[in-house]
Short mmCIF file of all heavy atoms in Angstrom, two decimals:
data_model
loop_
_atom_site.label_atom_id
_atom_site.label_comp_id
_atom_site.label_asym_id
_atom_site.label_seq_id
_atom_site.Cartn_x
_atom_site.Cartn_y
_atom_site.Cartn_z
N MET A 74 201.61 20.73 -224.42
CA MET A 74 201.23 21.29 -225.77
C MET A 74 201.92 22.68 -225.88
O MET A 74 202.32 23.09 -226.90
CB MET A 74 199.78 21.39 -225.80
CG MET A 74 199.07 20.09 -226.00
SD MET A 74 197.24 20.36 -226.18
CE MET A 74 197.09 21.01 -227.78
N GLY A 75 201.88 23.42 -224.74
CA GLY A 75 202.53 24.80 -224.78
C GLY A 75 204.03 24.66 -225.14
O GLY A 75 204.65 25.51 -225.88
N ARG A 76 204.67 23.69 -224.45
CA ARG A 76 206.09 23.60 -224.80
C ARG A 76 206.34 23.10 -226.17
O ARG A 76 207.32 23.61 -226.89
CB ARG A 76 206.71 22.46 -223.85
CG ARG A 76 206.93 22.91 -222.39
CD ARG A 76 207.91 22.05 -221.61
NE ARG A 76 207.25 20.80 -221.51
CZ ARG A 76 206.48 20.30 -220.60
NH1 ARG A 76 206.00 21.17 -219.77
NH2 ARG A 76 206.06 19.15 -220.47
N TYR A 77 205.56 22.42 -226.78
CA TYR A 77 205.63 22.03 -228.18
C TYR A 77 205.58 23.31 -229.04
O TYR A 77 206.30 23.52 -229.94
CB TYR A 77 204.56 21.09 -228.60
CG TYR A 77 204.51 20.61 -230.21
CD1 TYR A 77 205.27 19.64 -230.58
CD2 TYR A 77 203.84 21.54 -231.05
CE1 TYR A 77 205.37 19.32 -231.85
CE2 TYR A 77 204.03 21.17 -232.39
CZ TYR A 77 204.60 20.11 -232.75
OH TYR A 77 204.73 19.80 -234.24
N LEU A 78 204.61 24.22 -228.82
CA LEU A 78 204.50 25.36 -229.50
C LEU A 78 205.74 26.26 -229.41
O LEU A 78 206.36 26.83 -230.41
CB LEU A 78 203.38 26.17 -229.09
CG LEU A 78 201.83 25.68 -229.25
CD1 LEU A 78 200.83 26.75 -228.91
CD2 LEU A 78 201.69 25.19 -230.79
N LEU A 79 206.33 26.27 -228.24
CA LEU A 79 207.59 27.24 -228.11
C LEU A 79 208.72 26.51 -228.87
O LEU A 79 209.52 27.23 -229.42
CB LEU A 79 207.88 27.34 -226.55
CG LEU A 79 206.90 28.14 -225.85
CD1 LEU A 79 207.26 28.27 -224.29
CD2 LEU A 79 206.92 29.60 -226.29
N GLU A 80 208.82 25.25 -228.88
CA GLU A 80 209.77 24.46 -229.62
C GLU A 80 209.66 24.76 -231.04
O GLU A 80 210.66 24.73 -231.96
CB GLU A 80 209.85 23.03 -229.33
CG GLU A 80 210.47 22.72 -227.95
CD GLU A 80 209.90 21.40 -227.46
OE1 GLU A 80 209.41 20.55 -228.21
OE2 GLU A 80 210.07 21.02 -226.22
N HIS A 81 208.40 24.99 -231.62
CA HIS A 81 208.22 25.12 -232.98
C HIS A 81 207.83 26.66 -233.24
O HIS A 81 207.09 26.74 -234.39
CB HIS A 81 207.20 24.22 -233.43
CG HIS A 81 207.55 22.72 -233.37
ND1 HIS A 81 207.66 21.99 -232.14
CD2 HIS A 81 208.15 21.87 -234.19
CE1 HIS A 81 207.98 20.88 -232.28
NE2 HIS A 81 208.44 20.70 -233.61
N ARG A 82 208.14 27.54 -232.45
CA ARG A 82 207.70 28.81 -232.57
C ARG A 82 207.98 29.53 -233.87
O ARG A 82 207.11 30.12 -234.54
CB ARG A 82 208.23 29.64 -231.42
CG ARG A 82 207.86 31.11 -231.39
CD ARG A 82 208.51 31.72 -230.11
NE ARG A 82 208.36 33.20 -230.07
CZ ARG A 82 208.78 33.88 -229.15
NH1 ARG A 82 209.33 33.39 -228.10
NH2 ARG A 82 208.57 35.32 -229.13
N ASP A 83 209.18 29.55 -234.23
CA ASP A 83 209.66 30.22 -235.43
C ASP A 83 208.87 29.71 -236.79
O ASP A 83 208.40 30.46 -237.57
CB ASP A 83 211.17 30.23 -235.64
CG ASP A 83 211.78 31.07 -234.67
OD1 ASP A 83 211.20 31.78 -233.93
OD2 ASP A 83 212.98 30.96 -234.44
N GLU A 84 208.83 28.47 -236.75
CA GLU A 84 208.39 27.82 -237.89
C GLU A 84 206.66 28.02 -238.04
O GLU A 84 206.24 28.49 -239.15
CB GLU A 84 208.55 26.30 -237.80
CG GLU A 84 207.61 25.27 -238.32
CD GLU A 84 208.00 23.88 -237.64
OE1 GLU A 84 209.00 23.65 -236.87
OE2 GLU A 84 207.08 22.97 -237.90
N VAL A 85 206.08 28.03 -236.89
CA VAL A 85 204.58 28.24 -236.96
C VAL A 85 204.38 29.68 -237.22
O VAL A 85 203.41 30.20 -237.75
CB VAL A 85 204.02 27.77 -235.57
CG1 VAL A 85 202.43 28.14 -235.59
CG2 VAL A 85 204.24 26.42 -235.44
N ALA A 86 205.28 30.65 -236.45
CA ALA A 86 205.02 32.07 -236.83
C ALA A 86 205.20 32.46 -238.26
O ALA A 86 204.38 33.31 -238.71
CB ALA A 86 206.07 32.85 -235.93
N GLU A 87 206.08 31.79 -238.95
CA GLU A 87 206.11 32.15 -240.28
C GLU A 87 204.85 31.80 -241.07
O GLU A 87 204.32 32.51 -242.02
CB GLU A 87 207.29 31.38 -240.80
CG GLU A 87 208.10 32.11 -241.90
CD GLU A 87 209.34 31.43 -242.23
OE1 GLU A 87 210.41 31.37 -241.36
OE2 GLU A 87 209.52 30.95 -243.37
N ILE A 88 204.38 30.60 -240.79
CA ILE A 88 203.16 30.23 -241.48
C ILE A 88 201.98 31.19 -241.18
O ILE A 88 201.21 31.62 -242.02
CB ILE A 88 202.75 28.76 -241.13
CG1 ILE A 88 203.84 27.81 -241.58
CG2 ILE A 88 201.40 28.47 -241.62
CD1 ILE A 88 203.87 26.49 -240.97
N LEU A 89 201.90 31.55 -239.84
CA LEU A 89 200.89 32.40 -239.38
C LEU A 89 200.99 33.82 -240.11
O LEU A 89 199.99 34.41 -240.58
CB LEU A 89 201.00 32.75 -237.94
CG LEU A 89 200.16 33.70 -237.19
CD1 LEU A 89 198.64 33.46 -237.50
CD2 LEU A 89 200.33 33.69 -235.71
N THR A 90 202.22 34.31 -240.27
CA THR A 90 202.43 35.60 -240.97
C THR A 90 202.01 35.44 -242.43
O THR A 90 201.32 36.34 -242.98
CB THR A 90 203.84 35.96 -240.90
OG1 THR A 90 204.05 36.57 -239.43
CG2 THR A 90 204.25 37.11 -241.85
N LEU A 91 202.36 34.39 -243.03
CA LEU A 91 202.07 34.22 -244.51
C LEU A 91 200.69 34.19 -244.73
O LEU A 91 200.06 34.71 -245.78
CB LEU A 91 202.81 33.02 -245.01
CG LEU A 91 204.29 33.23 -245.19
CD1 LEU A 91 205.00 31.84 -245.59
CD2 LEU A 91 204.73 34.25 -246.08
#
Side-chain angles (χ1 to χ4, degrees):
M74 286 184 69
R76 284 196 299 276
Y77 178 93
L78 292 189
L79 289 178
E80 283 156 16
H81 296 81
R82 177 176 172 178
D83 287 347
E84 141 203 354
V85 180
E87 214 170 294
I88 294 163
L89 174 57
T90 284
L91 289 174

